[in-house]
Amino acid sequence: MNDFNIPESLLDENLPYSIQRMSLEEKGRLARDIRKTIIQVVAKNGGHLAPSLGVVELTLALLSVFNPSRDHIIWDVGHQCYAWKLLTKRAKDFKTLRQMNGLAGFPKISESPEFDHFGVGHASTSISAALGMAMARDLNGTSEDVVAVIGDGALTGGMAYEALNQAGGLKKRMIVILNDNEMSISKNVGALSQFLSRNLAHKGFLNFKEATGQFLKRIPKIGDALYDIADRGEKSFKTFFTPGMIFEGLGFNYIGPIEGHNLEVLIRHLQIAKAAEKPILLHIRTIKGLGYPPAENNPSRFHRVPGFEPETGLVPSPKINAEQGPGFTKIFGASLCRLAGEDKKIVAICAAMPDGAGLGEFRSRFPDRFIDAGICEEHAVTFAGGMATRGFKPVVAIYSTFLQRAYDQLIHDICLQKLPVVFCLDRAGIVGEDGPSHHGAFDLTYLRSIPNMHVMAPRDEEDLPNCLYTALQMNAPVAIRYPAMPTHAKIAPQEDFRLLEVGRGEMLISAPQKDVCVIAAGHRVHPCKDAISVLRQENISLFDARWVSPVPKEQLKELAQTYKGLIFVEENCRAGGFSSACLEFLSDEDLLAKVKILRIGLPEAKFVEHGPAEDLRKAAGLDWESLAKRFAEFTEAITA
């Protein structure tokens, strides 16, 4: 045993290959050990608990039927992969899950090239990737199986249907497993459906159906007509008794729904699917959070959790210092509700994360003006554009990393037409343990280059309401980016909203001696302020730009002409970000010749990995201590 009490059964060096030789009883005991370990580690490290608990039997069944190093198993979204990691030679390191330099919280090729065949983190990608692998297999003349596991709302994404449509058309041998945990597909229609769908998709029946079809077609004069009648009859029969007709219509042979926690049933149906020479969709029903009552009773709450008490399921309240702000997400939601109470044209739109995006109260108070588009970011953006053309004021609240998926819609459907849609980008910058697929590291880069798009980065929770109010008064596309974290700044109660001047920032510290000015954007303003305060120097000023597009042009010109050195600070990729925008402007104005420049931001040559957010900021030189050191060194160099 180790200090996390990982059972010896999971440390067996013969895993995962020994699973095929185990009895059902042995696999059942292994399932219990897996659940115990996942609960134990996630309670300590945080993570996606309920999704992974719901697929323990499915994972064991997959490893009972397929060769995990030869066959390709692709997990959509990837937040249900913990059992997979435990069983594919990573159990001894599982205690490092989501920790810096430890195991990632999602499948990752570089972490396990043998078993993680495709890296994920965003939804609805598995079927496309699986089809690509199946196509490559056939071109290479090999025979491995390809399986995509999708569910937990990922089937609402349009990309999944695009892939299903092509896969059915190409008739490539592949398996799609729909893990239905009541997050997307309708409920099980009963034992009769299971019986009919299972037998209608059995290899023997499929062969019989094909042979019968060929026979009917050979009957002179009436063969084609008889075949059409028989084909329509079978489809009508299956449509009446099963929910799978949509998949049959897309060219898949549908099996299901079946019990997703019955190992014997799962294994039998996976063997049927494996033997088929056609695209198969296996629909299984699972319980999200199974095996841990708090997660079963509240799967949404335990979808992704910080550390918690495993005995009770209680999540300790965060220890908030009196000087901390309440967090951007909370203030955004409260501010939007206040504004919507006064303006009936304001509507709120999100993509499957109303609570995470701060829209829980809005949904309760204004249900007719709240739209959850599901995991369909592209649709959500264009939908908002449609509402904007009819005089409404759409506010689209989406995490920074997920808005990337709708880049074409931002350009073509919103900015090209100058439609007044407000985008509120939560989780901007470093997000921590979810890692590179979730960091909001690129929004300033991909937004500020689009014509007609205005971009704001409020410094704290006091600044955010005014940014939101200003954005709603502008007849133009506007994006506001902010983190979920508090700013550690004491925020005064605000009675009224203040209209901000477009493209104008604010001097927060004006030093008597004009040597260096720190120009910061967004929530890094306060760490910069802390760093300058600690240095106690009289020659470092601090300017909050607030606007990234357009940058504060007249003020930047004055700063470049007044100070010996300028330090730009942002929590965004430096390539094409805030500092790039400022330097482009200063270069065009021929103002860079006499002023020294230091740019501090996220590295442009690599992705930021996973780990505690503050540890990652420290590694990137964005915490106040690192900033203080860089400020002091830069100031000393230009004043020497």
Side-chain angles (χ1 to χ4, degrees):
M1 296 287 182
N2 55 35
D3 55 349
F4 261 79
N5 298 316
I6 292 178
E8 294 294 338
S9 62
L10 296 174
L11 299 174
D12 181 358
E13 62 183 19
N14 295 315
L15 287 173
Y17 306 105
S18 58
I19 292 173
Q20 293 192 5
R21 300 189 297 272
M22 292 181 183
S23 67
L24 286 174
E25 290 75 18
E26 289 173 320
K27 291 173 185 176
R29 289 194 293 270
L30 191 57
R32 290 191 290 273
D33 288 343
I34 292 169
R35 284 195 168 90
K36 176 182 176 182
T37 304
I38 290 174
I39 293 167
Q40 180 179 241
V41 173
V42 175
K44 177 73 174 179
N45 296 0
H48 292 89
L49 182 67
S52 281
L53 291 179
V55 296
V56 172
E57 285 80 14
L58 173 60
T59 305
L60 285 165
L62 287 166
L63 293 170
S64 297
V65 176
F66 300 98
N67 181 328
S69 57
R70 173 185 176 275
D71 300 323
H72 297 343
I73 314 295
I74 303 101
W75 296 91
D76 208 293
V77 186
H79 57 225
Q80 68 276 56
C81 71
Y82 295 175
W84 180 262
K85 286 178 183 278
L86 280 168
L87 294 170
T88 52
K89 301 189 182 302
R90 283 168 277 184
K92 62 180 173 53
D93 296 321
F94 197 67
K95 63 183 179 182
T96 70
L97 182 73
R98 292 162 47 86
Q99 300 302 292
M100 201 163 180
N101 302 315
L103 292 181
F106 301 90
K108 186 177 182 181
I109 294 175
S110 61
E111 178 183 289
S112 181
E114 183 178 4
F115 300 114
D116 289 358
H117 298 288
F118 201 78
V120 287
H122 289 187
S124 312
T125 62
S126 63
I127 305 174
S128 296
L131 179 59
M133 293 175 183
M135 182 82 177
R137 173 201 61 205
D138 293 348
L139 290 173
N140 287 330
T142 54
S143 59
E144 65 271 16
D145 288 296
V146 181
V147 183
V149 183
I150 188 169
D152 222 10
L155 201 63
T156 63
M159 185 175 173
Y161 289 95
E162 294 174 20
L164 283 169
N165 181 54
Q166 187 180 28
L170 292 174
K171 302 187 186 306
K172 292 296 179 184
R173 178 173 62 85
M174 61 182 288
I175 300 167
V176 174
I177 298 175
L178 171 57
N179 173 30
D180 175 7
N181 53 24
E182 298 185 353
M183 298 297 290
S184 54
I185 301 297
S186 60
K187 292 184 177 182
N188 196 329
V189 295
L192 180 61
S193 168
Q194 182 181 132
F195 171 81
L196 287 171
S197 60
R198 180 180 71 220
N199 287 279
L200 288 172
H202 195 281
K203 182 180 181 181
F205 176 80
L206 295 176
N207 291 337
F208 170 76
K209 182 173 73 171
E210 184 171 350
T212 302
Q214 294 303 317
F215 170 76
L216 290 173
K217 287 182 177 180
R218 288 196 296 268
I219 298 175
K221 296 184 179 180
I222 62 170
D224 288 340
L226 287 174
Y227 176 83
D228 289 341
I229 292 170
D231 186 51
R232 288 197 301 271
E234 187 225 339
K235 289 179 178 177
S236 297
F237 189 58
K238 293 179 76 172
T239 300
F240 183 79
F241 285 110
T242 77
M245 194 57 209
I246 184 173
F247 304 113
E248 293 276 345
L250 288 168
F252 277 75
N253 284 281
Y254 172 85
I255 309 175
I258 67 168
E259 169 54 52
H261 297 296
N262 186 316
L263 270 168
E264 184 177 12
V265 170
L266 274 175
I267 291 169
R268 183 170 71 249
H269 283 82
L270 284 172
Q271 288 169 339
I272 292 171
K274 179 181 171 69
E277 296 297 325
K278 299 179 178 181
I280 296 286
L281 188 134
L282 176 60
H283 178 182
I284 71 170
R285 296 298 311 279
T286 61
I287 298 172
K288 196 170 181 178
L290 184 70
Y292 186 57
E296 286 185 49
N297 296 331
N298 195 346
S300 295
R301 176 67 185 85
F302 282 87
H303 174 80
R304 179 187 179 278
V305 287
F308 62 95
E309 298 175 0
E311 296 80 11
T312 64
L314 294 176
V315 178
S317 299
K319 297 178 180 179
I320 299 179
N321 186 285
E323 295 298 310
Q324 285 184 323
F328 285 85
T329 307
K330 181 177 180 180
I331 292 300
F332 159 70
S335 300
L336 187 62
C337 284
R338 285 178 58 195
L339 291 165
E342 301 170 0
D343 188 344
K344 293 183 179 180
K345 291 294 185 180
I346 293 175
V347 295
I349 302 165
C350 73
M353 295 183 180
D355 295 315
L359 294 177
E361 182 183 355
F362 191 102
R363 175 180 54 189
S364 299
R365 291 181 55 186
F366 311 104
D368 292 341
R369 288 189 276 153
F370 169 78
I371 300 94
D372 185 348
I375 305 177
C376 307
E377 293 85 1
E378 302 96 321
H379 159 65
V381 170
T382 304
F383 171 82
M387 295 205 75
T389 66
R390 309 313 301 160
F392 282 86
K393 300 179 181 180
V395 176
V396 182
I398 295 180
Y399 292 3
S400 167
T401 181
F402 298 131
L403 189 63
Q404 295 165 183
R405 313 186 92 196
Y407 192 55
D408 176 66
Q409 288 72 24
L410 285 168
I411 295 173
H412 182 270
D413 298 334
I414 304 301
C415 292
L416 180 61
Q417 304 184 91
K418 301 181 182 179
L419 295 178
V421 178
V422 177
F423 298 94
C424 292
L425 279 63
D426 206 316
R427 272 61 167 186
I430 288 173
V431 298
E433 291 85 354
D434 281 343
S437 62
H438 283 61
H439 294 314
F442 307 104
D443 51 62
L444 296 184
T445 300
Y446 72 71
L447 287 170
R448 70 100 176 166
S449 62
I450 308 176
N452 301 323
M453 175 63 83
H454 298 72
V455 184
M456 284 189 278
R459 63 177 176 263
D460 53 36
E461 297 93 321
E462 188 174 39
D463 200 30
L464 174 57
N466 295 326
C467 290
L468 180 60
Y469 174 71
T470 300
L472 286 165
Q473 308 310 307
M474 297 170 62
N475 190 32
V478 185
I480 308 170
R481 63 101 68 168
Y482 48 87
M485 54 172 275
T487 57
H488 300 263
K490 191 172 183 179
I491 308 301
Q494 182 174 321
E495 296 297 329
D496 298 314
F497 295 98
R498 180 165 59 95
L499 189 66
L500 303 173
E501 184 177 344
V502 176
R504 186 165 184 82
E506 185 176 352
M507 185 67 78
L508 300 181
I509 298 176
S510 182
Q513 189 174 335
K514 308 300 181 184
D515 286 333
V516 173
C517 184
V518 176
I519 303 173
H523 62 280
R524 288 299 90 190
V525 167
H526 283 286
C528 289
K529 187 176 181 180
D530 294 340
I532 294 170
S533 299
V534 168
L535 291 175
R536 298 178 181 275
Q537 293 181 220
E538 297 294 318
N539 58 349
I540 304 178
S541 298
L542 175 62
F543 179 77
D544 171 20
R546 184 183 287 121
W547 292 88
V548 176
S549 180
V551 293
K553 295 181 178 180
E554 293 305 314
Q555 292 168 303
L556 279 176
K557 286 171 63 175
E558 182 180 349
L559 294 174
Q561 293 167 339
T562 302
Y563 289 85
K564 299 176 182 177
L566 301 178
I567 302 175
F568 295 94
V569 181
E570 61 187 308
E571 195 167 298
N572 184 84
C573 174
R574 290 191 304 168
F578 165 65
S579 61
S580 292
C582 294
L583 293 188
E584 289 164 13
F585 168 73
L586 293 175
S587 177
D588 290 344
E589 296 293 319
D590 197 24
L591 291 171
L592 290 178
K594 295 183 180 180
V595 64
K596 299 293 183 182
I597 300 293
L598 173 63
R599 299 166 62 216
I600 301 175
L602 298 178
E604 60 263 39
K606 63 179 182 179
F607 289 97
V608 177
E609 292 297 333
H610 63 275
E614 289 309 311
D615 291 347
L616 295 174
R617 290 190 177 97
K618 186 174 183 65
L622 287 168
D623 64 305
W624 73 266
E625 291 177 304
S626 300
L627 290 170
K629 182 179 179 182
R630 298 289 300 277
F631 294 174
E633 291 172 347
F634 182 77
T635 303
E636 182 179 354
I638 68 169
T639 57

